[in-house]
Amino acid sequence: MIVGVMGAMPEEIDPLLKRLENVKKHEIADNIYYTALYGSLDLVIAYSKIGKVFSALTTSIMIEKFGIQKLLFSGVAGAINPSLKIGDLIAATKLCQHDLDITAFGHPYGYVPEGRVFVEADTNLLEIASDVARKKGIALKRGIVATGDQFVADAARKEWIGKTFGADALEMEGAAVAVVCDALDIPFFVLRAISDAADMDAGFDFDTFLQSSAIKSADFIFSMLDAIDQA
Ligand code: ADE
């Protein structure tokens, strides 16, 4: 099986690459895609660069050029739900675009005609994640993840996103990955470790906790790869 593993930043995929041998590099569309064998799995790994456009591009290339059959996203997020603390893991049940706004035409936030406000993650991959969490004794939370082309460092904006979409965490790529995978029928899973609380301290916290939280997320994704390999 060919499995794509994606992050947005080098820090989000480096912990994965470090654990693989005979990694090959492929340069496509101004980005680098890494391939490696892991057990019975053919892995395709890349960081997209930050934001919805780059992550949609990378997802499309993984699917159309590398033929991935599942996509796992690993990275960090800002917490909206106060029960989420720095380092906690959240698996997205569904994702939305908090910055998509044609409300001037009477549509709800996050909606464009022929689209949907929310795109659901694959239930089978969510189940695999819950099994992995149980076996490892990790408290994996599930929740709604809101995506936008903004680093949110503002309590009012965060509250608005939480209230408008019922979102638990926010980041800058997940919903773009979700839209592309949904359109091309590829099961996907988005995992995020909390790096900050999207408030006035978010910039400082992000810089402080990016690496440690990205490693937590990547470690969990590695265990999911083991579970997928052994299934
Ligand atoms: N990813 C991690 N923290 C974030 C934040 N506060 N805003 C957007 N994306 C993030």
Side-chain angles (χ1 to χ4, degrees), residues 76-78 150-153 170-172 195-196 198 202 206:
V76 300
Q150 287 173 349
F151 183 84
V152 178
L170 56 83
E171 36 82 309
M172 301 180 69
S195 56
D196 59 84
F206 181 88

Side-chain angles (χ1 to χ4, degrees), residues 60-71:
S60 305
I61 285 175
M62 281 194 173
I63 296 169
E64 292 295 330
K65 287 217 184 277
F66 290 92
I68 62 163
Q69 295 158 289
K70 291 184 195 302
L71 193 152

